[in-house]
Amino acid sequence: QVQLVESGGGLVQPGGSLRLSCAASGSAFGITDMGWYRQAPGKERELVARIPNGGTANYADSVKGRFAISRDKAKNTVYLQMNSLTPEDTAVYYCYAGFVIGRAWGQGTQVTVSS
């Protein structure tokens, strides 16, 4: 079974940047896509970005032009570069690896944007 380990979260000032990483280990066969969700207090979980195998990345409207998702298939790692951060980006960010029958999830990493 695949395990996903996230890193890179933390506290950053508005306008700053962070880069999240998510490394898959174990039986990382059959991955169809990888991506990131986030959940802020009092809000529903939302899809931030995803990148399918052989496809083009897509993003939530709220992060277009500011966030960039990338994937290193050789390292089984997906990244989320976050720029021009605002307090509204504060959330727990969860990476996932998609399979035909479901998803594996990372443990979550806290991103706090505050002055």
Side-chain angles (χ1 to χ4, degrees):
Q1 295 180 334
V2 65
Q3 292 182 318
L4 304 178
V5 179
E6 301 181 36
S7 62
L11 175 65
V12 65
Q13 293 185 345
S17 298
L18 285 174
R19 191 190 193 205
L20 306 183
S21 299
C22 175
S25 63
S27 299
F29 296 104
I31 293 176
T32 60
D33 68 313
M34 298 186 76
W36 297 86
Y37 280 78
R38 68 184 181 186
Q39 188 164 29
K43 294 185 177 181
E44 297 181 355
R45 185 187 65 172
E46 66 172 340
L47 178 65
V48 178
R50 65 182 293 271
I51 183 166
N53 291 350
T56 303
N58 47 65
Y59 301 89
D61 288 342
S62 60
V63 307
K64 286 181 179 177
R66 300 189 297 119
F67 290 12
I69 188 171
S70 60
R71 181 179 172 188
D72 186 337
K73 292 183 178 180
K75 296 182 178 180
N76 293 317
T77 300
V78 64
Y79 305 92
L80 186 67
Q81 178 67 46
M82 305 185 295
N83 300 320
S84 301
L85 287 162
T86 75
E88 287 67 45
D89 296 314
T90 295
V92 178
Y93 285 71
Y94 299 90
C95 68
Y96 77 88
F99 300 84
V100 172
I101 63 172
R103 289 170 174 166
W105 294 92
Q107 81 280 8
T109 185
Q110 177 71 49
V111 172
T112 302
V113 184
S114 176
S115 59

